[in-house]
Structures are given as C-alpha cells and as structure tokens.
Amino acid sequence: MVMEAPLSRRGSKNVGTPPIITEIPWTRIDLDLYEVAREGYIVGYVEVVGAVFVALGGARYDRAVEVSQHLTFHSAVDALVRRAVSA
C-alpha cells in the first residue's frame, strides 16, 4: 500500500508549481506491527508495545534488531528511514 500526500498547503509560496508527491514508507501488516520500506526495500518494522513504538531494523521481522524506542509512531518510522539512508 502506497499513500501519497501533497506537501503544498493553502497559502504556501509555491503557487503555480505542481505539488510534490511523497511516498509514505509504512504498511500495516498486523494489528500492532508495521513494515517500513525505502525505495522499495524493507528497512525495518515498527512494533506497538503499549504506549511505546519500537523501531526494529532489518529486512526480515524474525531477524530484526531493536534500534530504538519512541513515544510517537512517526518518530519510529523516521528513525528507520534515516538509518537506511546512512547505511
């Protein structure tokens, strides 16, 4: 599942230019589990554990390693995407 969201907002200064389409890099695969991909490759998973979002790095869930824990879902996804860029 790929969701697209334009970055331009009402009142922005990029009037007349086409909106930039951004790919949302996560897919829900279970009740408390999300798969995170970058450029078509799986970079990790976000597991919801109570009120904490655990970022797990790795292409396979059964071998993924905990990278960090966050209080927001988007912070956990961002940690995995940034980790993939630096690797």
Side-chain angles (χ1 to χ4, degrees):
M1 176 169 105
V2 175
M3 301 175 73
E4 297 177 348
L7 295 179
S8 61
R9 296 182 185 178
R10 185 175 172 208
S12 65
K13 296 189 182 214
N14 60 354
V15 177
T17 60
I20 299 169
I21 305 301
T22 304
E23 180 181 341
I24 297 176
W26 53 267
T27 303
R28 185 175 185 179
I29 57 173
D30 201 2
L31 186 61
D32 294 334
L33 185 63
Y34 297 83
E35 181 181 85
V36 180
R38 184 174 190 283
E39 297 178 357
Y41 294 98
I42 298 169
V43 295
Y45 299 85
V46 175
E47 191 168 15
V48 183
V49 182
V52 177
F53 298 92
V54 180
L56 304 168
R60 291 179 41 183
Y61 177 70
D62 62 337
R63 294 188 171 206
V65 179
E66 183 175 330
V67 174
S68 56
Q69 296 181 5
H70 300 273
L71 296 177
T72 65
F73 174 77
H74 295 293
S75 296
V77 171
D78 188 49
L80 291 171
V81 171
R82 280 185 288 125
R83 181 176 182 264
V85 170
S86 64

